[in-house]
């Protein structure tokens, strides 16, 4: 505890941090599930510097992200903690200092390693075996452990080989950390790492300070983005995610030249020096808006004061969406997540997945399934976004607790207000009037009359002469649809199915309950 203050300069533990630290210090395996920004790193950095008795030795951290490893390395060194980094992109010679440290008497507290390095370097495996012999191997930490499951087969084959850790070093405790709480992934991680009996530390993934909304993506989405930023987040820091590198460059350029916003692109095709330059300039506040590909956002995790995350293109999965939006509001202050949705993007991403030749069929299928889940989330303009997102992570959330912090909850409120007043009564009255003239009225027809469209079906029956024709002109279409479904739901409207040959038509009726509505 005193190390928390003296070394890390933090005042108190966040949820589950102390539990995770205690578990690993007492030699148990532990799986930590915390949302992005929840503070997973501390769960292994603090135990790593507890060098007494049985907890002595090197904490070996396996992490897939070089950029993140570097950040952490720097920050730990600045706190006076002895760290070495053996990453796969450096030759053994370049790492010679690091190697010296590993074999010297005074061992480092933390050793960062990529799974690729562990797989390819015999020297590293020997070093680990030596540490083990000397009783200097404190624990293994697998950060971003979901990679073993969802990406293992495609991008990071090396993660799959981490299963050997438990076999080679049966009594060295393992800590796995991820921001993916989904139960399937969780079981997969535990199985692959051989830690089925581990302690699982799970917490709510709700991020109360994030406001979620989905908007239709228009032809000129950059204009919409620029307008949104200027009106809601002028001069504030944010991330915009696009599908391709070209798109990133295009969008950043347009925001800059046409709308005068300080934006720059950031993606995997930039060379390392450029990326570092862009990242640094962003962090130093030289510009506010970073336009990045969804595949390459993890390196920019560090920033604390991101006020908005905009998806110019939807994410590939709800998992990615949660991670990407999770980069906003890490300081706990209100932040916005706006996604611009288009069905074309679904088709585009699906094509992209199919085109990845290296992807085994079943992985591609799984990814497409996840894409459809994501699309479903976007198209859903009824249910609380938070509830949907949490349900994906197998967590229950009561929409009452959303407090209008997602677009769908804001809308329901509007609907409720209008429901029992004028609009609902209008619609019911209108349908009654229509039914006096025609035996069969479809919902489509009723909505058309309510909105005042002069289509042939309306005019030839003289519905445009009714007193309430066009009464709902000012209401948005989706609100009218919600209003109708609500009236069905309440049993005010009844649906009548009429089948002619193989074709079924649905017609509307007004139930007796409508009279109670007209009085309320
Ligand atoms: P994660 O890996 O879960 O995404 P990090 O470990 O990178 O999150 O931590 C996110 C931020 O929270 C960091 O800036 C870190 O310094 C800060 N943080 C973590 N734990 C605490 C704590 N107990 N008190 C204050 N700040 C903390
Ligand atoms: Mg992390
Ligand atoms: Zn909500």
């Amino acid at each position: 505890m005193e190390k928390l203050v003296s070394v890390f300069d933090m005042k108190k533990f966040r949820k589950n941090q102390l539990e995770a630290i205690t578990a690993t210090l007492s030699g148990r395996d532990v799986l930590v599930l915390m949302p992005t920004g929840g503070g997973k790193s501390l769960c292994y950095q603090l135990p790593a510097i507890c060098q007494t008795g049985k907890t002595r030795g090197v904490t070996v951290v396996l992490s897939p992200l070089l950029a993140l490893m570097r950040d952490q390395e720097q920050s730990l060194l600045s706190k006076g903690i002895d760290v070495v980094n053996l990453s796969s992109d450096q030759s053994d010679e370049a790492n010679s200092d690091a190697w010296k440290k590993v074999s010297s008497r005074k061992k480092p507290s933390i050793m960062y390693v990529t799974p690729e390095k562990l797989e390819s370097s015999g020297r590293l495996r020997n070093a680990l075996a030596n540490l083990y012999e000397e009783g200097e191997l404190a624990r293994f930490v697998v950060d971003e452990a979901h990679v073993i499951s969802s990406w293992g087969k495609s991008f990071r084959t090396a993660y799959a080989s981490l299963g050997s850790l438990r076999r080679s070093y049966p009594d060295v405790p393992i800590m796995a950390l991820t921001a993916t709480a989904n139960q399937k992934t969780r079981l997969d991680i535990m199985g692959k790492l051989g830690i089925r009996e581990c302690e699982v530390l799970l917490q709510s993934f709700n991020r109360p300070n994030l406001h979620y909304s989905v908007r239709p993506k228009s032809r000129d989405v950059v204009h919409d983005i620029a307008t949104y930023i200027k009106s809601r987040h002028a001069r504030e820091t944010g991330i915009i995610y696009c599908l391709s590198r070209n798109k990133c460059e295009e969008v950043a350029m347009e925001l800059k030249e046409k709308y005068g916003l300080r934006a720059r692109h950031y993606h995997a095709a930039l060379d390392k020096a450029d990326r570092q330059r862009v990242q640094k300039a962003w962090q130093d506040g030289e510009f506010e808006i970073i336009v990045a590909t969804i595949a390459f956002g993890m390196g920019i995790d560090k920033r604390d004061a991101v006020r908005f995350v905009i998806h110019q293109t939807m994410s590939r999965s709800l998992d990615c969406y949660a991670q990407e939006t999770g980069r906003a509001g890490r300081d706990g202050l209100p932040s916005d997540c706006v996604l611009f949705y288009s069905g074309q993007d679904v088709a585009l991403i699906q094509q992209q997945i199919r085109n990845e030749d290296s992807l085994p069929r079943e992985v591609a299928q799984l990814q497409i399934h996840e894409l459809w889940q994501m699309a479903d989330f976007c198209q859903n303009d009824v249910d609380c976004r938070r509830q949907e997102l949490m349900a994906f992570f197998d967590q229950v959330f009561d929409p009452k607790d959303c407090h209008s912090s997602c677009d769908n909850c804001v809308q329901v409120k509007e609907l409720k207000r209008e429901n029992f007043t004028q609009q609902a009564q209008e619609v019911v009255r209108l349908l009654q009037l229509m039914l006096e003239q025609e035996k069969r009225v479809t919902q489509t027809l009723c909505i058309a009359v309510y909105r005042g469209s002069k289509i042939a079906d309306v005019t030839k029956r003289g519905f445009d002469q009714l007193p309430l024709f066009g009464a709902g002109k000012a209401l948005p279409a989706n609100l009218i649809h919600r209003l109708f479904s609500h009236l069905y739901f309440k049993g005010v409207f009844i649906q009548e199915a009429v089948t002619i040959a193989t074709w079924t038509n649905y017609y509307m009726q007004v139930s007796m309950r409508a009279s109670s509505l007209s009085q309320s």
Side-chain angles (χ1 to χ4, degrees):
M1 178 69 201
E2 91 246 24
K3 289 213 162 82
L4 180 71
V5 181
S6 65
V7 181
F8 290 98
D9 193 25
M10 295 171 186
K11 289 184 189 66
K12 57 182 196 339
F13 287 110
R14 289 187 183 158
K15 194 170 162 58
N16 283 345
Q17 283 180 330
L18 184 60
E19 287 82 349
I21 292 166
T22 313
T24 189
L25 285 179
S26 49
R28 273 171 287 153
D29 296 325
V30 55
L31 174 60
V32 182
L33 305 126
M34 259 183 210
T36 311
K40 288 185 284 296
S41 324
L42 189 78
C43 298
Y44 54 85
Q45 290 174 347
L46 198 146
I49 58 169
C50 293
Q51 299 277 353
T52 48
K54 276 191 77 175
T55 69
R56 260 184 59 250
V58 185
T59 293
V60 179
V61 181
L62 293 129
S63 164
L65 302 163
L66 288 175
L68 272 185
M69 269 168 26
R70 297 253 155 71
D71 282 353
Q72 295 199 356
E73 187 189 352
Q74 288 312 315
S75 122
L76 289 170
L77 286 172
S78 75
K79 296 184 174 75
I81 299 171
D82 203 0
V83 186
V84 297
N85 186 345
L86 296 169
S87 0
S88 49
D89 71 336
Q90 287 174 324
S91 65
D92 285 355
E93 293 75 58
N95 273 327
S96 67
D97 279 351
W99 282 114
K100 259 185 226 139
K101 272 199 199 167
V102 175
S103 50
S104 75
R105 268 185 57 90
K106 180 164 178 343
K107 309 288 188 225
S109 305
I110 300 187
M111 184 162 126
Y112 280 101
V113 183
T114 51
E116 281 79 5
K117 190 76 179 181
L118 183 66
E119 196 179 38
S120 67
S121 166
R123 186 172 174 188
L124 176 60
R125 284 197 300 274
N126 282 336
L128 289 180
N130 286 336
L131 286 175
Y132 185 61
E133 292 293 311
E134 297 165 29
E136 292 277 5
L137 200 49
R139 68 188 56 82
F140 288 107
V141 174
V142 183
D143 203 1
E144 311 285 344
H146 56 274
V147 175
I148 208 173
S149 166
S150 56
W151 295 2
K153 287 177 227 160
S154 47
F155 301 131
R156 312 296 293 238
T157 41
Y159 250 77
S161 63
L162 293 184
S164 68
L165 294 177
R166 177 42 42 99
R167 289 193 293 278
S168 313
Y169 310 103
D171 51 350
V172 175
I174 295 178
M175 174 186 271
L177 307 104
T178 177
T180 307
N182 171 295
Q183 186 172 2
K184 208 170 62 202
T185 314
R186 196 189 315 164
L187 293 173
D188 206 15
I189 293 171
M190 290 159 68
K192 293 222 169 82
L193 288 177
I195 52 169
R196 282 196 185 78
E197 308 285 303
C198 71
E199 187 161 334
V200 179
L201 295 173
L202 182 66
Q203 68 185 74
S204 168
F205 273 49
N206 185 27
R207 295 279 311 270
N209 62 318
L210 299 188
H211 184 286
Y212 300 96
S213 65
V214 177
R215 304 178 175 203
K217 182 168 173 177
S218 72
R219 274 176 181 281
D220 197 355
V221 63
V222 183
H223 172 264
D224 296 344
I225 290 174
T227 314
Y228 172 78
I229 293 177
K230 286 183 170 183
S231 67
R232 301 287 301 274
H233 294 286
R235 305 211 71 87
E236 291 182 336
T237 302
I239 306 173
I240 300 174
Y241 285 109
C242 301
L243 187 60
S244 66
R245 296 163 188 181
N246 284 344
K247 211 43 179 196
C248 287
E249 298 183 6
E250 225 177 279
V251 170
M253 176 77 84
E254 203 178 329
L255 287 175
K256 207 161 56 189
E257 316 247 291
K258 202 162 154 194
Y259 300 99
L261 291 166
R262 300 200 299 178
R264 286 172 71 177
H265 65 266
Y266 183 82
H267 55 61
L270 297 178
D271 65 38
K272 218 191 299 182
D274 274 342
R275 285 205 306 255
Q276 279 166 1
R277 237 192 322 272
V278 175
Q279 193 176 335
K280 175 141 191 335
W282 189 52
Q283 275 155 358
D284 294 347
E286 280 171 38
F287 68 101
E288 287 89 22
I289 304 160
I290 201 154
V291 189
T293 48
I294 35 192
F296 201 82
M298 288 169 129
I300 51 181
D301 254 6
K302 204 164 115 84
R303 181 74 186 189
D304 286 334
V306 176
R307 285 280 72 84
F308 63 90
V309 167
I310 293 176
H311 279 87
Q312 191 265 359
T313 312
M314 66 194 285
S315 313
R316 282 166 158 243
S317 69
L318 279 167
D319 218 343
C320 296
Y321 178 70
Q323 297 239 5
E324 286 147 16
T325 52
R327 301 200 168 99
R330 285 177 155 215
D331 50 7
L333 295 174
S335 307
D336 287 310
C337 309
V338 184
L339 185 148
F340 288 89
Y341 174 76
S342 119
Q344 274 172 9
D345 284 344
V346 182
L348 221 63
I349 300 175
Q350 186 164 314
Q351 202 48 50
Q352 210 181 44
I353 295 171
R354 292 228 164 91
N355 288 346
E356 273 173 55
D357 292 331
S358 60
L359 228 51
R361 234 182 99 85
E362 69 277 21
V363 179
Q365 242 146 27
L366 181 73
Q367 292 192 355
I368 288 175
H369 172 71
E370 291 184 338
L371 175 66
W372 281 101
Q373 283 181 316
M374 180 72 214
D376 196 47
F377 171 86
C378 296
Q379 286 169 358
N380 185 338
D381 61 359
V382 178
D383 299 306
C384 173
R385 303 259 181 227
R386 233 171 255 292
Q387 181 183 28
E388 293 294 288
L389 204 53
M390 306 263 294
F392 176 77
F393 291 114
D394 294 320
Q395 298 196 337
V396 181
F397 181 81
D398 184 347
K400 276 210 291 293
D401 298 328
C402 182
H403 303 297
S404 300
S405 61
C406 81
D407 52 353
N408 288 345
C409 287
V410 171
Q411 206 161 296
V412 166
K413 221 166 145 194
E414 213 169 303
L415 184 64
K416 270 190 197 132
R417 197 185 60 220
E418 292 169 8
N419 206 356
F420 297 102
T421 55
Q422 205 186 338
Q423 280 79 2
Q425 288 172 10
E426 275 174 7
V427 174
V428 174
R429 184 71 199 123
L430 179 66
L431 181 60
Q432 282 167 338
L433 292 173
M434 288 170 77
L435 287 169
E436 280 167 18
Q437 287 184 33
E438 285 267 333
K439 226 172 84 200
R440 285 176 177 161
V441 173
T442 61
Q443 175 169 320
T444 315
L445 186 63
C446 186
I447 289 179
V449 176
Y450 188 50
R451 301 192 73 190
S453 12
K454 297 206 170 190
I455 50 170
D457 275 345
V458 173
T459 50
K460 76 174 182 236
R461 294 182 171 89
F463 285 148
D464 53 339
Q465 304 305 316
L466 290 175
L468 284 166
F469 174 78
K473 211 181 226 137
L475 295 180
N478 56 354
L479 199 76
I480 295 181
H481 279 276
R482 276 282 289 151
L483 184 60
F484 273 66
S485 15
H486 190 77
L487 287 169
Y488 277 115
F489 182 71
K490 287 282 171 192
V492 174
F493 287 166
I494 304 168
Q495 205 165 49
E496 184 192 39
V498 177
T499 305
I500 302 164
T502 56
W503 191 259
T504 305
N505 273 319
Y506 294 94
Y507 300 102
M508 299 180 75
Q509 292 294 331
V510 180
S511 85
M512 299 303 286
R513 290 184 193 202
S515 55
S516 67
L517 189 76
S518 49
Q519 278 138 31
S520 65

